[in-house]
């Protein structure tokens, strides 16, 4: 009986050791990526900009998640914890003081440096893909392309169509933190003067939380 008891204890220790090894392995996997709890309006493109990773990296880290089926509460793996921390702490930084007098000013955002020709202060609103916000044309921009994050509606007399800008100074969970690059691809009868309308993916009530905000546009040189 003592011999059998000894064998039983040995088996218990073996099972316990295997369990500990399994936990250690699981912990290693958890440390390799951070989890983001999705909210209304999240997309892989939006999260990639927010966390400083590529859309391809996000897609590979989440093979079981369809990019067109991201819903509130969904757990999304964000690869490279260091990149996540760096991106969450990043803010647009003006570098104009460092630019030589004979060179164009620059602005840095998301780890990239942009040359810009001018700064425009505008009043901003936001719109969704809802039918009652887009009239008979549907959820497409001025050129007939599907609306997407990075599209803004402008008054072409103030901001010519096709102009690329860095948008800063806003606050909304459906947009990248601090800043994002947008292109003037849309127009609207209510958008006149120094006004822009920012397209945000998501339902109408979520988008309308944007309200009216004063934002700053840096017109990026092509």
């Amino acid at each position: 009986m003592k011999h059998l008891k000894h064998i039983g204890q040995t088996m218990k220790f073996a099972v316990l050791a295997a369990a500990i090894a399994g936990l250690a392995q699981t912990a290693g996997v958890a440390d390799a990526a951070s989890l983001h709890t999705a909210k209304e309006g999240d997309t892989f493109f939006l999260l990639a900009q927010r966390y400083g990773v590529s859309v391809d990296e996000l897609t590979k880290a989440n093979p079981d998640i369809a990019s067109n089926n991201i819903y509130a509460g969904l757990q999304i793996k964000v690869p490279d914890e260091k990149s996540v921390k760096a991106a969450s702490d990043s803010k647009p930084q003006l570098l104009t003081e460092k630019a030589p007098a004979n060179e164009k000013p620059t602005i840095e955002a998301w780890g990239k440096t942009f040359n810009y020709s001018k700064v425009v202060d505008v009043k901003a609103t936001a719109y969704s893909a809802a039918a009652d916000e887009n009239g008979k044309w549907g959820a497409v921009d001025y050129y007939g392309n599907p609306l997407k994050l990075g599209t803004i509606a402008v008054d072409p007399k103030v901001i010519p169509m096709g102009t690329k800008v860095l948008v800063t100074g806003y606050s909304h969970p459906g947009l990248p933190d601090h800043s994002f690059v947008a292109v003037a691809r849309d127009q609207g009868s209510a958008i006149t003067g120094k006004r822009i309308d920012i397209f945000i993916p998501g339902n109408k009530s979520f988008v309308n939380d944007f309200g009216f905000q004063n934002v700053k546009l840096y017109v990026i040189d092509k």
Side-chain angles (χ1 to χ4, degrees), residues 61-206:
N62 300 274
D64 298 328
I65 299 177
S67 60
N68 60 350
N69 188 33
I70 297 176
Y71 51 87
L74 183 66
Q75 295 292 301
I76 300 174
K77 292 180 181 178
V78 182
D80 192 352
E81 189 174 354
K82 291 181 180 179
S83 292
V84 173
K85 185 178 186 302
S88 64
D89 293 341
S90 65
K91 294 182 179 180
Q93 298 179 353
L94 286 175
L95 305 177
T96 51
E97 294 181 359
K98 296 182 180 180
N102 60 340
E103 292 185 10
K104 291 185 177 180
T106 61
I107 184 170
E108 184 179 271
W110 298 106
K112 297 181 179 180
T113 301
F114 303 94
N115 293 321
Y116 68 92
S117 57
K118 65 178 179 179
V119 181
V120 184
D121 293 307
V122 298
K123 177 83 69 177
T125 51
Y127 67 114
S128 70
D132 61 344
E133 291 190 273
N134 295 281
K136 62 181 180 180
W137 297 278
V140 296
D141 61 25
Y142 181 79
Y143 301 102
N145 300 310
L147 293 172
K148 61 182 180 180
L149 185 66
T151 295
I152 58 173
V154 300
D155 180 346
K157 294 179 181 178
V158 178
I159 301 174
M161 296 295 287
T163 299
K164 182 183 288 187
V165 298
L166 184 71
V167 186
T168 68
Y170 57 83
S171 176
H172 191 276
L175 294 171
D177 292 341
H178 311 305
S179 66
F180 70 100
V181 174
V183 179
R185 299 190 184 98
D186 211 356
Q187 299 180 22
S189 58
I191 309 303
T192 58
K194 290 188 175 182
R195 277 280 314 276
I196 65 168
D197 210 9
I198 301 171
F199 173 72
I200 300 177
N203 64 48
K204 186 176 178 181
S205 60
F206 170 73

Side-chain angles (χ1 to χ4, degrees), residues 19-50:
I20 293 173
L23 288 173
Q25 184 176 7
T26 302
V29 172
D31 289 342
S34 295
L35 288 178
H36 169 87
T37 302
K39 58 182 179 295
E40 181 82 33
D42 275 351
T43 64
F44 276 163
F45 175 77
L46 174 61
L47 295 177
Q49 285 203 325
R50 176 176 180 179

